[in-house]
Amino acid sequence: MTESTTTCSYPKFEDAGSFPAFVATVHGNIVDVQCCRALPPRFQILRTGKNGAIKLEVQTHLGTDRVRCLALNATRGLKRHTPVTDTGSRLSVPVGKALLGRMFNVFGETIDNGPPVNCPQVWCVHRDAIPLSRRRTEREVFITGIKAIDLLAPLERGGKAGLFGGAGVGKTVLLTEMIHNMMHEYQGIGMFCGIGERNREAEELYREMHDTGVLEKTVMVCGQMNEPPGARFRVSHVALTMAEYFRDVEKRDVLFLVDNIFRFIQSGMEVSGLMGNAPSQVGYQPTLASELAELEERISSSSQGSITSVQAIYVPADDLTDPSATHTFAHLSASIVLSRERAAEGFYPAIDLLNSNSKMLSAAVVGKRHYDIANAVREALAEYNELKDIIAMLGIEELTLHDRQIVARTRRLERFLTQPFFSTEQFTGYAGVKVDISDTLEGCEGILNGDFDRLPEKDFYMTGGNDALKSRTSEQATQTVP
């Protein structure tokens, strides 16, 4: 793959490769440019406005003398007949080790009040995915320290995992906890991409990363919510280009975190509407599948390094059949669905234990013991769901002794799979815990076998793994001794 090694800075506006062109029309973020010579190719960056501050990306040719462009920053003050110059290149961003510990915008400019980065290379953000012949095929589990995920939906190193959920069910909190748990022991590079981020969320995450000491091996790229749709649409390509540099040149493993993919799809929908394209199903752009595939297929691993991605995905109206969710499902190796019902019951993380799944959950990958325990947990949860209607109508007294035992143990399992987070200690009052997978397996196996039947249900809520349950059993035994 050939890389661009031009300098980081743009040429001065008045000295840029000029061609006779001017602004013909301005419709919000869409700018038509009249050209008197050869038309610039698609995705070429043009500059206009005062000192060339407004950057335009060519989207389509309207004829032999006019191109339609998408503005990547605000067009306030732009008028007709304003001169336009051609940069001679597509959108490019700096890459290199100097990016670590910094926060950037869609143009690769620092937005953390620090000095500009000094790097020898820039890469174009429009890049092809690595070919299949160079991809790594080994399967390895990526441990998060979160019980429900490691047990029922284990992540794949070098794979893609999605956190699906509606508004307010805990996607960002869960993603933040994963950053806390995984980055401390992770030997690779962290890359956080905020698409349509609120200023508050980006600032809080930056401060938390700084306070916990993981910022020095992390790069943050944010396209804020108040930015034009073109900037929000391209920010994911910018972050992925920086991640590819660390994978291909530095030969490092990269943890690629995205919050969230729906806003990438939403910005693409806005761009499509601005360009005058007819909407498709449920108002989405007709190019939804191809735009998403172009992004997701670049998240892959080679023999030299890997990109492991965890993506938050907003689900409109909690409808998992929405086209934005169904198109994303196809690209993932693990799908973690968050449930509003579990959140309402106070079970955090509010993971839907039956609908969450992973391609890694097979005996050949995680081992027969893990596979059997996970299946037993799912069977118990499914049976409990069937008994809930009977309990609601007739009461638990009408169940058989066997069914009552299943209900009691499954209720303990539900509470055991809750977990206090480090990122929410100040809100919940529970000290955060990170649980090893072996501890989780022993705890679930003990609950299913009835080893902890004497413990009250409250002792399973917001606790650690098997060791925590054993200590509480010992405490109970000590208290009952006369």
Side-chain angles (χ1 to χ4, degrees):
M1 189 180 296
T2 306
E3 312 299 351
S4 169
T5 56
T6 58
T7 58
C8 284
S9 59
Y10 284 107
K12 289 184 179 180
F13 181 64
E14 56 269 22
D15 298 331
S18 181
F19 67 103
F22 58 87
V23 174
T25 62
V26 181
H27 296 285
N29 294 301
I30 295 298
V31 179
D32 289 351
V33 176
Q34 188 77 29
C35 307
C36 300
R37 294 183 184 174
L39 299 182
R42 193 165 181 243
F43 299 139
Q44 191 105 316
I45 295 295
L46 313 180
R47 301 179 70 187
T48 187
K50 186 177 181 181
N51 298 322
I54 300 174
K55 299 179 178 66
L56 310 175
E57 185 180 74
V58 177
Q59 293 294 316
T60 186
H61 293 180
L62 299 178
T64 58
D65 61 350
R66 184 175 289 202
V67 294
R68 177 158 290 172
C69 306
L70 178 68
L72 299 182
N73 44 5
T75 57
R76 188 180 298 108
L78 186 62
K79 299 180 292 186
R80 294 179 62 193
H81 304 299
T82 303
V84 177
T85 60
D86 185 4
T87 64
S89 64
R90 294 181 172 186
L91 181 63
S92 301
V93 293
V95 293
K97 292 182 180 180
L99 305 181
L100 294 174
R102 305 301 301 274
M103 182 187 288
F104 300 89
N105 62 10
V106 70
F107 303 112
E109 301 165 344
T110 57
I111 54 174
D112 54 4
N113 294 325
V117 295
N118 182 19
C119 59
Q121 296 184 24
V122 295
W123 279 13
C124 175
V125 303
H126 300 277
R127 297 165 54 80
D128 296 328
I130 59 175
L132 289 174
S133 58
R134 288 182 50 202
R135 299 200 181 192
R136 189 172 66 186
T137 56
E138 297 88 356
R139 288 195 160 187
E140 182 183 350
V141 174
F142 198 90
I143 300 299
T144 67
I146 300 173
K147 291 182 286 187
I149 294 177
D150 291 341
L151 174 68
L152 299 174
L155 307 189
E156 178 185 10
R157 183 180 291 273
K160 297 183 279 284
L163 307 177
F164 292 86
V169 294
K171 298 183 298 299
T172 302
V173 172
L174 189 55
L175 192 65
T176 305
E177 186 69 9
M178 285 187 174
I179 293 172
H180 182 280
N181 287 0
M182 294 150 70
M183 288 302 297
H184 279 289
E185 298 181 6
Y186 189 62
Q187 300 303 313
I189 300 298
M191 175 68 65
F192 176 81
C193 176
I195 308 174
E197 278 285 281
R198 300 175 182 89
N199 291 349
R200 171 185 57 79
E201 293 175 339
E203 184 184 19
E204 287 176 356
L205 185 59
Y206 180 85
R207 288 184 179 183
E208 185 171 340
M209 284 187 169
H210 181 272
D211 294 342
T212 55
V214 301
L215 184 63
E216 60 187 16
K217 56 179 181 178
T218 304
V219 183
M220 299 182 69
V221 184
C222 291
Q224 298 172 9
M225 187 176 283
N226 63 330
E227 294 186 25
R232 287 183 274 121
F233 186 65
R234 285 288 173 234
V235 71
S236 54
H237 298 90
V238 170
L240 195 48
T241 300
M242 294 177 177
E244 287 172 334
Y245 170 84
F246 287 105
R247 179 195 64 190
D248 298 337
V249 177
E250 299 292 335
K251 298 178 175 54
R252 302 287 297 275
D253 292 334
V254 181
L255 180 59
F256 188 69
L257 305 150
V258 186
D259 189 12
N260 74 61
I261 285 295
F262 174 78
R263 292 202 180 106
F264 166 76
I265 295 172
Q266 191 178 46
S267 59
M269 179 170 58
E270 293 178 48
V271 169
S272 180
L274 289 170
M275 296 300 297
N277 298 328
S280 184
Q281 186 181 12
V282 201
Y284 288 103
Q285 64 270 37
T287 53
L288 167 61
S290 58
E291 288 173 357
L292 188 61
E294 181 184 0
L295 178 71
E296 295 284 358
E297 286 304 301
R298 287 175 61 181
I299 304 174
S300 56
S301 302
S302 67
S303 57
Q304 299 174 331
S306 68
I307 300 180
T308 303
S309 177
V310 180
Q311 308 167 12
I313 301 128
Y314 169 73
V315 181
D318 295 336
D319 181 14
L320 289 173
T321 63
D322 188 88
S324 63
T326 55
H327 281 87
T328 308
F329 271 122
H331 297 280
L332 305 176
S333 56
S335 301
I336 301 160
V337 180
L338 301 181
S339 165
R340 195 170 298 279
E341 291 181 5
R342 284 184 62 81
E345 293 173 357
F347 294 143
Y348 293 104
I351 296 173
D352 191 324
L353 302 174
L354 287 176
N355 285 331
S356 300
N357 60 78
S358 170
K359 295 176 182 177
M360 299 296 288
L361 191 60
S362 68
V365 178
V366 299
K368 188 174 186 308
R369 180 169 178 259
H370 183 162
Y371 179 74
D372 290 342
I373 292 174
N375 275 343
V377 169
R378 287 187 187 277
E379 289 175 7
L381 291 167
E383 194 164 352
Y384 176 46
N385 276 352
E386 293 176 0
L387 294 172
K388 279 183 178 178
D389 290 338
I390 299 175
I391 296 172
M393 290 186 294
L394 303 176
I396 196 169
E397 295 80 9
E398 297 300 319
L399 299 180
T400 64
L401 186 62
H402 174 70
D403 287 344
R404 287 188 204 177
Q405 188 180 69
I406 290 175
V407 169
R409 292 176 181 175
T410 307
R411 286 174 63 88
R412 286 168 169 77
L413 268 176
E414 282 187 324
R415 285 153 179 77
F416 177 68
L417 292 176
T418 62
Q419 188 168 339
F421 284 172
F422 292 97
S423 56
T424 59
E425 286 180 352
Q426 66 271 33
F427 306 116
T428 63
Y430 293 100
V433 295
K434 182 180 179 183
V435 184
D436 188 73
I437 182 60
S438 60
D439 207 12
T440 301
L441 292 175
E442 289 175 8
C444 291
E445 191 175 40
I447 294 170
L448 290 169
N449 292 337
D451 297 344
F452 306 109
D453 284 354
R454 293 187 177 183
L455 280 181
E457 289 181 0
K458 64 181 180 63
D459 285 352
F460 295 82
Y461 182 72
M462 288 294 174
T463 186
N466 186 62
D467 292 341
L469 296 181
K470 284 183 176 180
S471 65
R472 293 189 179 185
T473 304
S474 302
E475 290 174 7
Q476 185 188 58
T478 303
Q479 292 171 359
T480 55
V481 173

